[in-house]
């Protein structure tokens, strides 16, 4: 017999009291750990209300499958009101990230062809490969300059530049030059704005941005300034390409990039293209760079595994005879390492959908329209889901054991991450080049954990040492 919605365990009766307790626990930064604790207290399903934000939370892969089967034709995730409020405030169009319904679908279908289809991925490989080579050359230079035959540093700023250079080269078909000695202050400002934008978003998940705006709160003003910086830099890049395209009359040359392809295709309005390309540019920086930083950290902690990966890359290089695309098909362990990183250190603490239809999960009835969250961070660390979850073990993704709804770092289905193929290719090529050139080591005795700033970030600097092979 199915139990009613109101009997789901959890604290959902008084949002304001819960918000106060959440704040006392420093919940704005501990969301992932609080979710984990809630699953320990309440079991595999609980209901929650913090401030105005109400949801049902689940953790099992089998329940995730039920959730995604009920996402409907127009899957809708949690509305991040801070992001829509900014666009409404500045009168800017929503891109694919923020659109919903038929408007989302029609845009997404066209973007899929230019951003995520296997056909275009081939075009990205040479562009991203070049950025990877330049990154390695830059590290070699830093090592030379150090005079110690090694370089010890917090790589995060370097990785932000690598990620922005990578995503820009794919979007605009040309290089920004961020890996040169001179760094354009505008590009650095863009990077800083993205970090600030994420950081200022998290309190506004629980306190309505409209209210914060009315009282002139600092967090809202900082958020607006951050998006202003993001949009002005993206506008500059987009305008540049637009102008070039109108002047260019010559025969079509090599692959021109995502933006030019969309403009020439002429199926989306220029305003729609601008909105989504801006989101792609902003979404392409902290996500991949932090995932790569965590991966290097794990490889530094597991030297034997690092050698195994190096051997796989060397063999793939030899067998593919200079064909990079071919090489990417021969590195299953490198791909497993990236999955393993996203299992233990997911960018997104949860996946969410508003239900399109009623469902039953854990024998509870959940009505259509409810916001259901899959606790991705909690699932990745659950011993009932992953054998010895605390161990970083890329080979677990090779075995034939079931991976059913277990690899969800990029989300699922038609609403999954639009940047997924770019991100995967960019990260795989990065690891290939790094493994071919350097040994990664770390300081002893530093345990790094996650902190929530909308996306999950390392809670302290990760200091690594790179040594030429
Ligand atoms: C959406 C993760 C990199 C652009 C998402 C979602 C997740 C995610 C979990 C929500 C999916 C869902 O609700 O099912 C990641 C991870 C990344 C990454 C783990 C890298 C390690 C990128 C990059 C870009 C990007 C590089 C841009 C080039 C987007 C966009 C959406 C999205 C535009 C919204 C798609 C839509 O609503 O239709 N990402 N992402 N992401 N991501 Fe990523
Ligand atoms: C944050 O409780 C925690 O990929 C909330 O590239 C629920 C939630 C909703 C939407 C998620 C967000 C979380 C984390 C960051 C995500 C976002 C959807 C897209 C975004 C996962 C889990 C991200 C990082 C995009 C960002 C693109 C943007 C900067 C233009």
């Amino acid at each position: 017999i199915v139990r009613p919605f109101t009997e789901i365990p959890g604290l959902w009766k008084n949002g304001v009291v819960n918000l106060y307790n959440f704040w006392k626990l420093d919940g704005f930064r501990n969301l992932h750990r609080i979710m984990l604790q809630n699953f320990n207290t309440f079991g595999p399903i609980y209901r929650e209300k913090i401030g105005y934000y109400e949801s049902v939370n689940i953790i099992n892969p089998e329940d995730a499958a039920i959730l995604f089967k009920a996402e409907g034709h127009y899957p809708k995730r949690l509305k991040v009101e801070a992001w829509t409020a900014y666009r409404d405030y500045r009168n800017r169009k929503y891109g694919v990230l923020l659109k919903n319904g038929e408007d989302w679908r029609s845009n997404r279908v066209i973007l899929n062809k230019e951003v995520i289809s296997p056909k275009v991925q081939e075009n990205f490989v040479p562009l991203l490969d070049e950025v990877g080579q330049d990154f390695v050359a830059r590290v070699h230079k830093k090592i030379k300059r150090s005079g110690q035959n090694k370089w010890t540093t917090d790589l995060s700023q370097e990785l932000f530049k690598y990620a922005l250079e990578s995503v820009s080269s794919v979007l605009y078909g040309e290089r920004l030059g961020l890996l040169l000695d001179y760094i354009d202050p505008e590009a650095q400002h863009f990077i800083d704005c993205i970090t600030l934008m994420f950081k200022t978003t998290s309190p506004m998940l629980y306190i309505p941005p409209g209210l914060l705006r009315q009282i002139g709160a600092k967090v809202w003003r900082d958020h607006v300034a951050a998006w202003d910086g993001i949009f002005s830099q993206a506008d500059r890049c987009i305008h540049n390409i637009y102008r070039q395209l109108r002047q260019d009359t010559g025969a079509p040359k090599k692959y021109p990039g995502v933006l030019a392809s969309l403009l020439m295709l002429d199926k989306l309005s220029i305003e729609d293209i601008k909105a989504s390309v801006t989101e792609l540019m902003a979404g392409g920086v902290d996500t991949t760079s932090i995932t790569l930083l965590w991966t290097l950290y794990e490889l530094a902690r597991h030297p034997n595994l690092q050698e195994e990966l190096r051997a796989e890359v060397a063999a793939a290089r030899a067998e593919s005879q200079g064909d990079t695309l071919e090489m990417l098909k021969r590195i299953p362990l490198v791909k497993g390492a990236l999955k393993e990183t996203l299992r233990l250190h997911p960018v997104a603490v949860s996946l969410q959908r508003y239900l399109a239809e009623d469902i039953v999960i854990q024998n509870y009835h959940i009505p259509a329209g409810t916001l259901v969250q899959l606790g991705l961070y909690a699932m990745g660390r659950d011993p009932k889901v992953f054998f010895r979850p605390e161990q970083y073990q890329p080979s677990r993704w090779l075995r034939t054991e079931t991976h059913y709804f277990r690899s969800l770092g990029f989300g699922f289905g038609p609403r999954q991450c639009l940047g997924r193929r770019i991100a995967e290719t960019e990260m795989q090529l990065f690891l290939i080049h790094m493994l071919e050139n350097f040994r990664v080591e770390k300081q002893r005795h530093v345990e790094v954990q996650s902190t929530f700033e909308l996306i999950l970030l390392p809670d302290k600097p990760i200091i690594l040492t790179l040594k030429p092979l």
Side-chain angles (χ1 to χ4, degrees):
I1 184 163
V2 176
R3 287 170 289 180
F5 187 55
T6 48
E7 281 179 22
I8 300 176
L11 292 168
W12 48 272
K13 295 221 163 108
N14 197 326
V16 178
V17 171
N18 295 338
L19 178 60
Y20 176 71
N21 289 325
F22 187 71
W23 172 74
K24 272 200 312 196
L25 287 170
D26 202 10
F28 291 141
R29 266 183 254 140
N30 281 321
L31 178 66
H32 51 304
R33 277 184 285 273
I34 292 178
M35 283 180 86
L36 200 87
Q37 212 180 48
N38 283 335
F39 285 115
N40 283 333
T41 312
F42 298 118
I45 185 167
Y46 69 89
R47 233 177 120 179
E48 174 180 67
K49 185 172 184 182
I50 304 170
Y52 69 102
Y53 177 5
E54 197 174 350
S55 66
V56 168
N57 293 265
I58 60 172
I59 187 171
N60 288 329
E62 292 70 24
D63 297 340
I66 300 174
L67 167 62
F68 287 114
K69 270 171 202 139
E71 69 175 7
H73 203 45
Y74 304 114
K76 193 170 161 224
R77 72 173 80 84
L78 171 75
K79 177 174 170 190
V80 179
E81 268 189 54
W83 298 351
T84 53
Y86 171 82
R87 281 149 181 86
D88 298 346
Y89 178 60
R90 288 284 193 236
N91 241 316
R92 288 191 174 269
K93 275 206 106 166
Y94 296 1
V96 73
L97 172 77
L98 300 175
K99 286 180 187 288
N100 279 311
E102 187 49 46
D103 188 24
W104 166 77
R105 222 183 64 95
S106 58
N107 275 252
R108 175 83 198 214
V109 166
I110 292 160
L111 289 164
N112 279 347
K113 283 202 209 96
E114 299 301 330
V115 182
I116 204 172
S117 75
K119 193 194 93 207
V120 294
Q121 201 197 346
E122 290 179 27
N123 298 324
F124 301 161
V125 170
L127 293 167
L128 295 170
D129 194 39
E130 193 186 281
V131 182
Q133 287 174 18
D134 288 355
F135 186 83
V136 160
R138 181 173 167 88
V139 175
H140 276 303
K141 218 178 194 176
K142 297 269 187 189
I143 291 175
K144 278 231 175 64
R145 274 189 209 157
S146 79
Q148 298 179 307
N149 205 33
K150 65 180 183 189
W151 186 33
T152 299
T153 187
D154 172 3
L155 270 178
S156 50
Q157 282 302 321
E158 294 296 324
L159 290 170
F160 287 154
K161 286 191 260 177
Y162 169 75
L164 179 54
E165 185 75 26
S166 293
V167 74
S168 303
S169 78
V170 164
L171 292 176
Y172 307 121
E174 59 182 38
R175 297 290 299 269
L176 295 186
L178 302 179
L179 301 177
L180 304 174
D181 277 330
Y182 165 82
I183 159 103
D184 174 12
E186 318 236 275
Q188 185 60 55
H189 182 62
F190 181 79
I191 289 172
D192 297 339
C193 282
I194 295 175
T195 307
L196 181 64
M197 179 277 291
F198 279 129
K199 192 190 174 80
T200 52
T201 302
S202 53
M204 290 193 265
L205 288 174
Y206 309 100
I207 307 164
L211 180 76
L212 292 167
R213 179 181 149 190
Q214 272 177 18
I215 62 173
K218 178 164 161 43
V219 61
W220 167 255
R221 286 182 282 126
D222 286 350
H223 193 68
V224 169
W227 276 121
D228 283 347
I230 291 168
F231 273 96
S232 71
Q233 178 69 5
D235 281 348
R236 257 196 302 276
C237 293
I238 294 169
H239 194 80
N240 231 349
I241 298 297
Y242 187 70
R243 194 161 22 101
Q244 279 178 32
L245 210 60
R246 297 189 60 175
Q247 286 169 354
D248 200 9
T249 44
K253 33 170 183 29
K254 56 176 187 18
Y255 174 68
V258 169
L259 172 60
S261 304
L262 287 168
L263 289 168
M264 291 188 292
L265 195 65
D266 200 25
K267 284 195 178 157
L268 292 177
S269 73
I270 293 185
E271 291 309 309
D272 275 339
I273 294 176
K274 273 183 160 179
S276 284
V277 168
T278 303
E279 288 171 358
L280 285 166
M281 192 179 172
V285 179
D286 295 32
T287 46
T288 50
S289 53
I290 295 299
T291 307
L292 287 173
L293 185 59
W294 279 121
T295 307
L296 294 178
Y297 170 77
E298 294 291 357
L299 297 187
R301 295 209 296 174
H302 302 92
N304 295 338
L305 170 68
Q306 192 181 139
E307 293 311 319
E308 253 181 85
L309 288 167
R310 213 183 318 281
E312 182 188 75
V313 168
R317 174 73 74 193
E319 287 162 19
S320 57
Q321 296 168 330
D323 181 343
T324 315
L325 199 63
E326 196 51 45
M327 195 174 171
L328 294 178
K329 294 178 190 151
R330 295 169 191 262
I331 48 166
L333 202 61
V334 170
K335 292 176 184 173
L338 288 166
K339 285 189 185 169
E340 199 60 350
T341 301
L342 288 174
R343 176 178 70 80
L344 284 169
H345 315 285
V347 170
V349 37
S350 73
L351 303 176
Q352 335 76 40
R353 292 292 184 265
Y354 292 94
L355 293 179
E357 52 192 87
D358 290 21
I359 55 174
V360 173
I361 286 186
Q362 297 288 330
N363 215 26
Y364 289 103
H365 174 251
I366 310 175
T370 307
L371 178 68
V372 179
Q373 298 204 79
L374 169 70
L376 207 55
Y377 177 89
M379 183 181 94
R381 287 163 186 261
D382 185 346
K384 293 193 280 308
V385 180
F386 293 99
F387 180 66
R388 297 202 180 136
E390 71 291 348
Q391 294 188 4
Y392 187 83
Q393 233 179 70
S395 62
R396 73 169 84 232
W397 298 101
L398 306 180
R399 288 192 220 104
T400 45
E401 68 188 69
T402 177
H403 302 152
Y404 184 69
F405 281 91
R406 278 163 175 77
S407 172
L408 294 173
F410 290 97
F412 178 83
R415 189 110 217 196
Q416 69 177 279
C417 177
L418 176 60
R420 178 174 190 160
R421 290 280 119 71
I422 297 174
E424 287 173 340
T425 311
E426 169 190 329
M427 295 193 295
Q428 290 161 14
L429 287 166
F430 177 91
L431 291 176
I432 287 176
H433 289 297
M434 289 301 279
L435 286 161
E436 286 181 321
N437 283 274
F438 310 106
R439 187 163 285 120
V440 190
E441 295 172 7
K442 69 178 274 290
Q443 302 168 308
R444 270 166 245 271
H445 312 308
V446 188
E447 270 298 315
V448 186
Q449 297 192 324
S450 292
T451 184
F452 175 77
E453 292 193 1
L454 198 81
I455 58 173
L456 290 174
L457 300 176
D459 67 349
K460 48 179 91 64
I462 294 180
I463 309 295
L464 297 170
T465 299
L466 300 174
K467 294 182 177 169
L469 288 174

